[in-house]
Amino acid sequence: MGFDARFLGVEAPMPSVPEADAAASVALDHVHFTIVLDTRRRFARMTGVNVDGAALVEVERRDAWEYDARIPEDWQAGPEVYARNDLDRGHLVRRRDPVWGPPEVAARANAETFRYPNAAPQQAEFNQSLELWNGLEDHVLAFARVHAQRLSVFTAPVLAADDPPYRGIQVPLRFVKVVAWRSGDELATAGFLLDQAPVVDLGDPMRSRADIAARERARVAAGATAVPDLGPFRTFQVAVADVAAITGLEMPLLVAADRMPHSLSGDDGPRELTQPEDLRLGAP
């Protein structure tokens, strides 16, 4: 049960919340992964999953989302957030990542990814086409010299104070991911940022926003509740140090192992990715 910091054969611990936030955080262990829930925002502050690429198995997908019965329901953003609108329950720990090992273990891991603390609202048409975002771990797995085809993956919504309010929660506009693997006898990491905020510098922004607004009016007319204006997803490779700064989480070992060190404020800032081959991992 739970995330294993020694899964790679070298120390790769989950990012930790600062002491000031510890009282509002609760760790929820599952088969091969752990979710640290922020009980104030009702979303995960961070998730960590161990992925054994050599032992992955296929399990039938069943979208049976449930509350985590170990904690109060009002700590969790539940079905009322996603009803009658265009928001998807976006998996933070990917459904397939912890699904490995003996059949009964893999089946339990699959089911446990469908708990509300593992979800965050994402605009549906983009969540369903996130081949790049969801495929980054697979590309790193094939590209890097991964020890025994193992990865540790950390994913989280960025819980910003100015996230738009909706149905008693605030919708996260950005998500981060850190992929960790073993290169020789050393830890290696890479950081990524997904932005689902309205995009103003791609294509025709006025037409794009008009299309979004028209779809939203149609949904509201049909009885749906208006949702925040979420624009097209963009994916960036960023320094792991920037992931730490954006989230406010502590991850010194992951930062030190970054294969693409740079600063958000430097000349070599966030790199927008259009295909997995665009990412840079540095020399092994």
Side-chain angles (χ1 to χ4, degrees):
M1 291 291 292
F3 177 84
D4 180 2
R6 293 288 303 177
F7 180 72
L8 303 179
V10 293
E11 192 72 17
M14 278 189 65
S16 59
V17 299
E19 186 175 349
D21 296 333
S25 302
V26 58
L28 301 168
D29 287 336
H30 297 277
V31 176
H32 303 150
F33 68 98
T34 293
I35 296 169
V36 178
L37 181 70
D38 186 314
T39 60
R40 300 164 300 189
R41 286 290 301 266
R42 300 165 63 195
F43 292 121
R45 187 73 187 270
M46 175 57 64
T47 69
V49 59
N50 302 127
V51 185
D52 189 340
L56 288 170
V57 298
E58 291 295 331
V59 174
E60 182 182 359
R61 179 185 179 115
R62 294 181 179 177
D63 290 331
W65 287 89
E66 300 177 355
Y67 287 107
D68 190 316
R70 297 172 294 181
I71 58 174
E73 290 186 0
D74 60 7
W75 288 6
Q76 308 170 61
E80 70 281 357
V81 172
Y82 306 95
R84 304 179 309 282
N85 59 30
D86 199 30
L87 293 178
D88 265 4
R89 300 166 178 85
H91 275 78
L92 297 173
V93 172
R94 280 199 315 170
R95 183 187 70 86
R96 291 189 65 249
D97 281 357
V99 181
W100 51 270
E104 64 279 6
V105 173
R108 181 177 173 186
N110 175 76
E112 291 186 357
T113 66
F114 290 93
R115 300 291 184 269
Y116 279 109
N118 191 40
Q122 293 177 341
Q123 209 279 340
E125 66 184 273
F126 298 109
N127 176 46
Q128 294 164 10
S129 62
L130 284 180
E131 296 300 328
L132 175 61
W133 177 250
N134 290 333
L136 284 170
E137 303 99 315
D138 293 336
H139 183 74
V140 172
L141 189 68
F143 183 86
R145 297 178 179 178
V146 181
H147 177 70
Q149 291 187 312
R150 289 187 168 196
L151 295 174
S152 288
V153 182
F154 311 99
T155 307
V158 178
L159 304 181
D162 60 352
D163 285 335
Y166 178 65
R167 293 185 178 179
I169 54 92
Q170 289 176 270
V171 177
L173 297 181
R174 294 182 295 172
F175 297 82
V176 292
K177 189 184 296 289
V178 176
V179 181
W181 68 99
R182 179 171 169 172
S183 179
D185 293 328
E186 297 182 348
L187 179 66
T189 61
F192 305 95
L193 171 70
L194 174 73
D195 187 352
Q196 71 170 355
V199 175
V200 297
D201 60 346
L202 294 179
D204 182 344
M206 299 307 295
R207 186 181 65 182
S208 175
R209 289 187 173 185
D211 289 345
I212 293 172
R215 288 199 303 269
E216 191 58 39
R217 285 195 299 270
R219 285 195 298 271
V220 172
T225 304
V227 299
D229 183 15
L230 304 181
F233 283 99
R234 293 182 297 177
T235 301
F236 301 86
Q237 184 172 3
V238 300
V240 178
D242 294 330
V243 173
I246 291 168
T247 60
L249 297 168
E250 299 168 356
M251 51 187 87
L253 291 183
L254 303 180
V255 169
D258 193 358
R259 287 305 178 93
M260 185 196 167
H262 61 73
S263 170
L264 278 173
S265 59
D267 293 335
D268 188 18
R271 300 180 59 252
E272 185 166 2
L273 306 178
T274 59
Q275 55 185 349
E277 291 74 16
D278 290 341
L279 66 87
R280 288 205 305 251
L281 300 177

